[in-house]
Amino acid sequence: MRRWYLIGAVLSLSCLNALAQETQIQVEVKEKRSEEERQKLPVEKKTATPRTETTIKGEELTKQSGAGSVNIFKAVELTPSLNVQTDDPYGLGGGSIRIRGFDNTQIGVSLDGMPLNDSGNFALYPHEYVDVENLESITVERGAVGKRSPFYVDIGGSIKLRVKPPSNKLRYSYNLSAGSFSFVREYLRLDTGLIPKINLKGFISFSHTSAEKWKGPGKNPDYRDHLAFGLAQNLGRLRWEFYFDNNAQTNYFYRGLNYAQAMDLDRYRRFDYTDRLIFPGGNGTVHNNPAIRDNNLNYYKFYKNPYINREARANIELDVAKNITLILKPYYWYGRGSGTSATTFTSGGNTYIAFRESFNYTDRPGVITELRFDVPYGELYAGYWYERSELKQWQPSRPVRVNPNDSFTLLTNTVGTPRFQYNYIQKTITTTNTPYVFTDLRSLFGGRIDLNLGLRFAQVKRDFTNYSTQGLPYLPEDNIFDYPNLKKDSNTSYIKTYRRILPNIGIGIKLSNVVYPYFAYAKNFRVPQNFIGAIPTNISAQFVADQLKPEESDSYDIGIRFDFGGIYIVPSAYYVDYKNRLIRIADPTDPNLIYLRNAGKVIAYGAELEIGANIFKSLSLYSSFSYNEAKFKDELYYSGNQPINIKDKTVPDTPKYMFKLGMDYMILGFDVRPSVIYISSRYGNLTNTEKVGGYTLANLYISRDIYKGYANLYIDIRNLFDKKYIGRISVGDTSGTYYVGAPFSVAVGLKGSF
């Protein structure tokens, strides 16, 4: 049915464009090809940019992301110091990312200026936001982040996405692919072209994706349907763009391994959830038999992630006076969904299984308002970021009854054994009021010096309400928040406003047309997550929150850009002082009170090398090397109530060395693109007792135009030599959870535009 809605929209837009098609041809503006495109460099050269960042654009993004084309992390995984891990070969289930040892809750991600991190725990879901084909560029800012960015989580850097604006020309684009593990994807986009009389242009796109899991039962995704559209209009003094994305999907999770299993991949590589339930006898609720209990507890239908994301955002520019422009960026993020799991509980000497749904409902409106002043040598911005995010989180826990036919029933009775209960019901309102100033000046002092300066006064208010769960009935959706007997638990609720002044500075020197050294510094921060963890019963959440401050990082970068025309080389080094890290420790006046405090510290440092080269007309390459060290400086940390010493331990899931190489070779009409990624060994726990070995992956992408650029046939091979390895790690205090990297896979596709 969704496909028919799309076809109707496409026909309507096509008819609208046809009214002005003849005139449109007369006003068509030919887009100039950049120097990088002419030289086939796979990375954008940075000029007048005194900070460490990498930008990947256009077609290069879709080729790096492969046939999956939904995962924003995979599209930039060849850039320095990025450790990107996914559970499946196409990136359809999301995955994780680290930059210089900082995880994805410490990295700010934005789409057209709209922040995308979860407002509660700051998590990222890189497969839920956009189709990669719809992106114009992705910029990875490592280290010093500029203060125009709308983040309160950017300790480790930022990733900025820019959607591809509507084209000036009428254009139909498509990407159809299929591959291993029943992978199927369809992507279609229509650009209306410019409609001259009203100077309006737009696009609409739709994609559908599905695939079987590569191990175990279930699909990943069962479906992913993504609808997007955009409009842009230039009215002279007034210019505006509007974009909307709607993503609906359901994924079944992969099962993680413990450390012993991770060390024996010959045996456990395809270990996963069970595909059927076993009737335990009796009335189907008692699970005292350990073998039956373990089988049913790990039934795959208990582990899935249905979610809907909607992101609407606009960019409006009005020239209010000569050299002064008012910029408005309103946005709204709507999220609805859950992650599900199962657990056991004991009552009356019997063991039962409960199905848990961890719901997360987000309503997040915001606006960024700026005045841009065109000043000598550059621009000056004075801005204000306002946002009010309402996040509802609750977890109903329903006992499972297994039926004799191996189906199951979820129980909602509130009396008797086993009984239904809510494990938690919470609401968080996060309000951001953040003014800032930023200036970007170029070619100062005789054209030699580039300078950017920023200052942001960040104010983030958390209003966290935890509700009593006793005696509440099961209610569908989020109706429990309207239940008349729902009561606030004052002892576990809090209100706290976090404030910080955050500066940044970047200085670049044009020593010549070839050599450009630069230095960058920024103070980045992250406010505490909304849930501040388990606290002793004799103190309040407000007592804990009153003592908390934002985490801070002072990030220093130094580098040199060498631009030899067809060869672009950027060596750089960095140092990060990460302080006020939130860890669980004992109260200094009472060692029996253990709770979250700003007592942690991490020192991170390293070096990076980035090379883009057009070796000769038919061969180009992009390569990066990273050396990363990140060490805890905490002498004591509590895992539960057990103290552990992690001083000078390496931050888990931080490979010391990474090497990446991608090549693009044109031969006999074929575009051959091999890539190699080496990731060194990592730890999976804070105590550094669980170490997983390094690995090397080889991928191969081959394409060929088969009809004058209107059709391009390609084959995408991942894990070419079927390497067995541990990819994603869910870090633990003393023991981590390990996820096996995807095996050899191959997909073929046809894409093009006309």
Side-chain angles (χ1 to χ4, degrees):
M1 182 63 69
R2 295 182 179 91
R3 292 181 178 84
W4 290 111
Y5 291 150
L6 175 66
I7 291 171
V10 168
L11 291 175
S12 298
L13 286 171
S14 297
C15 293
L16 179 63
N17 178 268
L19 297 175
Q21 186 172 1
E22 182 177 352
T23 308
Q24 173 192 314
I25 295 174
Q26 297 174 5
V27 300
E28 179 184 321
V29 178
K30 294 184 178 179
E31 300 173 358
K32 295 182 180 180
R33 299 179 64 194
S34 68
E35 178 184 352
E36 287 78 14
E37 290 175 316
R38 290 197 302 270
Q39 295 179 340
K40 295 183 61 179
L41 285 181
V43 62
E44 180 184 73
K45 291 181 181 180
K46 293 295 178 177
T47 59
T49 308
R51 55 184 173 270
T52 303
E53 68 176 34
T54 300
T55 297
I56 307 295
K57 302 180 75 172
E59 183 68 12
E60 191 66 26
L61 290 173
T62 61
K63 291 179 178 179
Q64 285 195 25
S65 63
S69 293
V70 304
N71 194 303
I72 60 174
F73 292 167
K74 288 187 72 67
V76 292
E77 66 178 338
L78 294 183
T79 55
S81 291
L82 268 69
N83 182 16
V84 177
Q85 305 294 346
T86 60
D87 296 339
D88 66 279
Y90 307 106
L92 307 178
S96 65
I97 187 173
R98 281 185 179 265
I99 299 179
R100 298 177 173 179
F102 295 95
D103 66 33
N104 61 11
T105 69
Q106 300 167 310
I107 300 164
V109 175
S110 65
L111 174 62
D112 298 324
M114 169 185 172
L116 293 178
N117 298 74
D118 182 276
S119 63
N121 66 3
F122 314 134
L124 293 167
Y125 306 96
H127 56 309
E128 295 184 359
Y129 306 129
V130 294
D131 286 326
V132 173
E133 295 98 334
N134 282 341
L135 289 178
E136 179 181 68
S137 66
I138 300 179
T139 297
V140 181
E141 228 176 356
R142 302 184 297 281
V145 177
K147 298 312 163 193
R148 288 184 67 203
S149 305
F151 303 131
Y152 43 81
V153 296
D154 55 358
I155 286 288
S158 74
I159 299 176
K160 299 176 180 179
L161 315 177
R162 167 61 176 159
V163 163
K164 186 188 302 180
S167 172
N168 287 333
K169 297 184 290 186
L170 174 65
R171 178 177 297 160
Y172 298 90
S173 305
Y174 64 93
N175 190 354
L176 311 174
S177 53
S180 302
F181 315 114
S182 302
F183 164 72
V184 176
R185 185 168 187 271
E186 309 152 5
Y187 166 85
L188 300 170
R189 170 168 166 153
L190 167 68
D191 284 85
T192 66
L194 188 66
I195 305 173
K197 292 183 179 180
I198 55 176
N199 222 26
L200 180 70
K201 56 185 178 179
F203 80 83
I204 184 170
S205 73
F206 178 81
S207 72
H208 171 80
T209 310
S210 65
E212 299 286 345
K213 289 168 59 180
W214 66 265
K215 65 171 183 175
K219 288 192 166 187
N220 186 45
D222 185 21
Y223 68 92
R224 178 190 183 271
D225 290 339
H226 193 98
L227 173 68
F229 66 83
L231 293 169
Q233 189 176 33
N234 187 336
L235 298 174
R237 292 179 57 189
L238 175 65
R239 302 166 298 279
W240 62 269
E241 299 175 307
F242 174 80
Y243 299 106
F244 175 79
D245 285 84
N246 183 90
N247 191 84
Q249 65 183 63
T250 295
N251 284 5
Y252 286 89
F253 296 132
Y254 287 90
R255 186 175 181 179
L257 308 181
N258 60 36
Y259 184 63
Q261 293 168 333
M263 293 298 99
D264 188 5
L265 293 186
D266 286 337
R267 179 178 180 184
Y268 288 101
R269 186 187 196 187
R270 294 187 176 270
F271 181 72
D272 202 63
Y273 294 110
T274 56
D275 62 352
R276 60 178 57 85
L277 293 169
I278 300 175
F279 179 60
N283 66 359
T285 61
V286 176
H287 281 80
N288 290 337
N289 184 306
I292 295 177
R293 179 171 65 240
D294 182 70
N295 178 89
N296 292 352
L297 177 66
N298 291 290
Y299 181 50
Y300 81 100
K301 288 189 177 180
F302 296 156
Y303 298 87
K304 61 182 179 179
N305 177 212
Y307 212 86
I308 296 174
N309 261 327
R310 293 172 186 158
E311 306 120 24
R313 64 266 180 210
N315 182 49
I316 304 166
E317 296 187 3
L318 174 64
D319 297 332
V320 295
K322 184 179 180 181
N323 299 327
I324 302 176
T325 301
L326 173 65
I327 302 172
L328 296 175
K329 296 182 178 181
Y331 61 85
Y332 180 77
W333 181 9
Y334 168 99
R336 298 289 187 271
S338 68
T340 70
S341 60
T343 188
T344 60
F345 65 96
T346 301
S347 178
N350 292 318
T351 301
Y352 303 92
I353 292 176
F355 173 71
R356 301 181 301 189
E357 294 176 281
S358 302
F359 285 99
N360 183 311
Y361 279 21
T362 295
D363 289 281
R364 189 175 181 179
V367 63
I368 300 169
T369 304
E370 289 184 328
L371 279 175
R372 183 181 69 210
F373 301 88
D374 295 329
V375 298
Y377 301 103
E379 299 85 32
L380 171 66
Y381 297 87
Y384 197 94
W385 173 32
Y386 173 80
E387 179 184 276
R388 185 187 186 277
S389 171
E390 181 179 274
L391 173 64
K392 296 178 180 177
Q393 296 172 290
W394 71 104
Q395 188 183 79
S397 182
R398 289 181 278 177
V400 175
R401 172 183 290 146
V402 178
N403 302 316
N405 64 357
D406 297 338
S407 65
F408 66 93
T409 303
L410 300 178
L411 306 180
T412 59
N413 55 292
T414 56
V415 296
T417 301
R419 66 171 62 94
F420 160 82
Q421 69 175 20
Y422 285 100
N423 294 327
Y424 58 79
I425 304 172
Q426 301 165 348
K427 181 190 292 185
T428 307
I429 296 176
T430 304
T431 307
T432 301
N433 285 279
T434 299
Y436 61 88
V437 292
F438 183 85
T439 184
D440 196 355
L441 304 176
R442 298 171 293 277
S443 300
L444 299 169
F445 303 104
R448 294 294 184 182
I449 305 297
D450 298 319
L451 177 68
N452 63 57
L453 297 168
L455 188 68
R456 178 155 51 117
F457 179 49
Q459 301 179 94
V460 182
K461 180 182 177 182
R462 292 281 208 192
D463 186 345
F464 176 81
T465 303
N466 195 51
Y467 296 94
S468 174
T469 61
Q470 297 299 314
L472 296 176
Y474 173 76
L475 295 176
E477 299 295 330
D478 58 344
N479 293 336
I480 190 62
F481 289 90
D482 298 322
Y483 187 63
N485 291 334
L486 185 66
K487 296 180 180 178
K488 175 181 177 179
D489 185 340
S490 299
N491 195 59
T492 55
S493 303
Y494 69 88
I495 299 176
K496 177 65 183 288
T497 299
Y498 303 96
R499 298 181 177 90
R500 274 296 175 271
I501 296 177
L502 306 169
N504 85 279
I505 180 172
I507 303 173
I509 305 173
K510 298 175 184 175
L511 294 182
S512 69
N513 291 332
V514 174
V515 183
Y516 184 89
Y518 67 88
F519 166 79
Y521 162 79
K523 182 179 286 295
N524 303 326
F525 86 134
R526 183 179 77 156
V527 302
Q529 297 181 350
N530 62 330
F531 180 63
I532 58 178
I535 58 176
T537 56
N538 55 337
I539 63 173
S540 68
Q542 189 65 57
F543 171 83
V544 174
D546 286 342
Q547 301 181 63
L548 298 184
K549 299 179 291 186
E551 300 176 311
E552 298 178 14
S553 69
D554 290 292
S555 183
Y556 305 84
D557 278 72
I558 187 169
I560 306 177
R561 295 194 177 94
F562 297 96
D563 185 353
F564 300 102
I567 301 177
Y568 178 64
I569 303 174
V570 188
S572 61
Y574 69 89
Y575 178 85
V576 182
D577 183 3
Y578 173 24
K579 51 187 177 291
N580 290 338
R581 192 174 75 90
L582 291 167
I583 62 172
R584 282 175 51 82
I585 63 169
D587 189 290
T589 63
D590 186 348
N592 295 316
L593 296 180
I594 300 168
Y595 55 88
L596 202 65
R597 300 189 69 207
N598 296 99
K601 185 180 178 69
V602 170
I603 296 298
Y605 56 90
E608 300 167 348
L609 178 63
E610 186 174 26
I611 301 174
N614 179 227
I615 306 301
F616 47 86
K617 184 176 180 181
S618 60
L619 176 63
S620 65
L621 65 83
Y622 176 74
S623 181
S624 68
F625 170 80
S626 310
Y627 164 70
N628 305 115
E629 289 275 13
K631 299 285 188 180
F632 293 115
K633 297 302 177 182
D634 315 327
E635 293 188 356
L636 207 59
Y637 171 89
Y638 279 82
S639 177
N641 289 332
Q642 297 300 313
I644 55 177
N645 192 332
I646 59 173
K647 184 176 176 60
D648 293 327
K649 301 295 185 184
T650 296
V651 174
D653 200 18
T654 302
K656 181 178 290 188
Y657 302 106
M658 288 184 281
F659 172 76
K660 306 168 186 179
L661 173 64
M663 300 180 64
D664 190 337
Y665 183 43
M666 292 295 299
I667 181 171
L668 301 176
F670 290 90
D671 185 359
V672 182
R673 300 171 57 88
S675 64
V676 177
I677 298 176
Y678 168 73
I679 306 293
S680 69
S681 60
R682 300 161 289 156
Y683 295 104
N685 60 345
L686 297 182
T687 53
N688 287 184
T689 58
E690 296 183 351
K691 186 177 184 179
V692 297
Y695 60 89
T696 301
L697 291 182
N699 304 312
L700 181 63
Y701 185 98
I702 302 174
S703 63
R704 180 183 174 90
D705 281 336
I706 58 176
Y707 186 67
K708 300 179 181 179
Y710 297 121
N712 182 276
L713 183 66
Y714 65 89
I715 180 169
D716 181 33
I717 303 174
R718 298 282 160 157
N719 196 354
L720 181 62
F721 301 110
D722 199 29
K723 175 70 176 178
K724 297 177 183 177
Y725 68 102
I726 293 297
R728 185 168 62 92
I729 298 176
S730 179
V731 171
D733 293 347
T734 58
S735 182
T737 302
Y738 303 87
Y739 295 84
V740 183
F744 170 89
S745 68
V746 58
V748 296
L750 184 68
K751 64 181 179 180
S753 62
F754 54 90

